[in-house]
Amino acid sequence: AQKITQTQPGMFVQEKEAVTLDCTYDTSDPSYGLFWYKQPSSGEMIFLIYQGSYDQQNATEGRYSLNFQKARKSANLVISASQLGDSAMYFCAMREVSGNQFYFGTGTSLTVIP
Amino acid sequence: DVKVTQSSRYLVKRTGEKVFLECVQDMDHENMFWYRQDPGLGLRLIYFSYDVKMKEKGDIPEGYSVSREKKERFSLILESASTNQTSMYLCASSLGGYNSPLHFGNGTRLTVT
């Protein structure tokens, strides 16, 4: 079974609007971390935000927030007030307490329309 | 800030050549990783290392080997390059622990002709 599932291959959003990128995960570990990365067309992978499995509050970093629903095993990324520079691939990832590996989804391509 | 440096941004090699991709990190991270990224397939783990001289196979180790003689340096070796190894290669490092993020280098786009 896939550890990380991103079901939206491509998304479009109007500039200044908010957008939600979906991510569901599968683990039986009691402790795990969830991460989101941005990959612009230049290719570098940029770490955006982290959510721990025991965190009571949703993580926020500037315009990025993580909608964490533990019972549903979902960790959706919300980008508020979209900017043209937000156009990129976005990857969701998970790391379990039981190992060193990171598991990545296949990514969502976000295009911000002026 | 963590800096992960990959030795080449673009590389063109011929089929059958031995290819070395070098990666250096400056934050004393225990864990280092090599990924391959292809369109539609996402990131696939080739090898990772959790300590000097230690390595573990990832999802697609065939045709690759790695070397970690010093903590800061993790090398990916293509013993005999083939055209199906044309890809983007990403190196990353992290501390141990499930709450530590990966820090990536800028990637090496390898073309094997």
Side-chain angles (χ1 to χ4, degrees), chain B residues 25-49:
Chain B
Q25 51 96 2
D26 66 356
M27 282 301 291
D28 205 34
H29 285 173
E30 300 94 355
N31 301 316
M32 295 189 75
F33 304 78
W34 274 106
Y35 290 91
R36 171 178 172 160
Q37 184 177 22
D38 300 289
L41 298 178
L43 277 76
R44 293 181 290 169
L45 181 65
I46 305 171
Y47 270 96
F48 71 98
S49 169

Side-chain angles (χ1 to χ4, degrees), chain A residues 32 37 39 42 50 95 102, chain B residues 9 31 37 95 97 99 102:
Chain A
Y32 51 89
Y37 289 84
Q39 187 179 41
S42 52
Y50 162 80
R95 193 178 198 185
F102 286 76
Chain B
R9 189 81 172 96
N31 301 316
Q37 184 177 22
L95 290 168
N99 58 347
L102 273 173

Side-chain angles (χ1 to χ4, degrees), chain A residues 29-57:
Chain A
D29 275 21
S31 305
Y32 51 89
L34 297 156
F35 307 84
W36 277 92
Y37 289 84
K38 173 184 178 182
Q39 187 179 41
S41 57
S42 52
E44 74 270 30
M45 292 281 281
I46 303 165
F47 166 60
L48 294 178
I49 195 167
Y50 162 80
Q51 179 85 42
S53 56
Y54 291 112
D55 293 343
Q56 295 295 315
Q57 294 192 323

